[in-house]
Amino acid sequence: MSSKNLTEVIIDGKIYELSGYESEEYLQKVASYINGKIGEVKKDVRFRRMSPEVQRTLVELNIADDFYKAKKQVDLLEAELDNKDQQLYNLKCELIATQIRLKASEKEVTNMQKEIVDYQKEIIRFETELRERSKK
């Protein structure tokens, strides 16, 4: 099991100490993402007039919105992957069925070739008998 990392990050100009099993790089990336969200909402003039509690809630809502959009995209991709898996399974089943039919057809061709050889032998035998009768 990994050891916990302790990392200092700056979020909205304040230093925070984060602890987690993720790498320092990851924790810095998360802090950078949050700073980006804060920067997005700060561009709106109305944001500056809001109370700090409302500002924080607005940032949290933006982050939750990103999360649910990403989750929806993941769900769609997983459904697409499941569909592709089902298609692959169906194709494998079809391939196996086709291979079985091919083997049966090959066996039938082999049997028919043997029959042809038998018929050719019988024809030669009949022709030989016919020639012998006609000589008599």
Side-chain angles (χ1 to χ4, degrees):
M1 184 178 231
S2 311
S3 62
K4 270 191 168 184
N5 293 314
L6 193 62
T7 303
E8 283 188 353
V9 298
I10 298 174
I11 298 175
D12 198 23
K14 295 179 186 147
I15 297 174
Y16 293 91
E17 211 170 71
L18 298 182
S19 174
Y21 292 105
E22 294 81 4
S23 68
E24 179 178 347
E25 179 185 356
Y26 176 81
L27 296 172
Q28 291 292 343
K29 196 174 185 179
V30 169
S32 176
Y33 171 78
I34 292 171
N35 283 322
K37 281 295 165 188
I38 292 170
E40 282 178 28
V41 294
K42 277 187 174 181
K43 289 179 185 175
D44 188 341
V45 178
R46 296 172 292 174
F47 181 79
R48 292 184 207 124
R49 286 186 251 143
M50 297 175 186
S51 70
E53 184 179 312
V54 172
Q55 289 177 350
R56 186 178 61 249
T57 301
L58 186 59
V59 171
E60 291 167 349
L61 285 169
N62 275 273
I63 292 171
D65 179 55
D66 285 352
F67 169 78
Y68 281 104
K69 285 178 180 171
K71 185 171 180 352
K72 182 179 180 182
Q73 186 65 28
V74 166
D75 291 345
L76 288 172
L77 290 171
E78 284 178 345
E80 186 178 330
L81 181 61
D82 288 345
N83 186 27
K84 296 291 182 192
D85 283 345
Q86 185 62 47
Q87 287 177 357
L88 181 60
Y89 175 79
N90 291 342
L91 286 172
K92 285 180 178 179
C93 288
E94 188 177 323
L95 175 62
I96 290 168
T98 302
Q99 288 173 331
I100 290 169
R101 286 193 307 273
L102 175 63
K103 287 284 184 195
S105 295
E106 287 172 343
K107 188 174 181 178
E108 191 176 336
V109 166
T110 301
N111 289 340
M112 289 180 157
Q113 287 172 336
K114 287 178 184 175
E115 271 186 54
I116 289 171
V117 168
D118 290 344
Y119 286 136
Q120 287 172 336
K121 287 178 183 176
E122 200 171 321
I123 289 171
I124 292 171
R125 188 176 56 80
F126 285 143
E127 286 176 344
T128 305
E129 279 180 22
L130 195 63
R131 271 189 233 127
E132 287 180 8
R133 285 187 184 170
S134 63
K135 287 183 182 178
K136 289 184 182 181

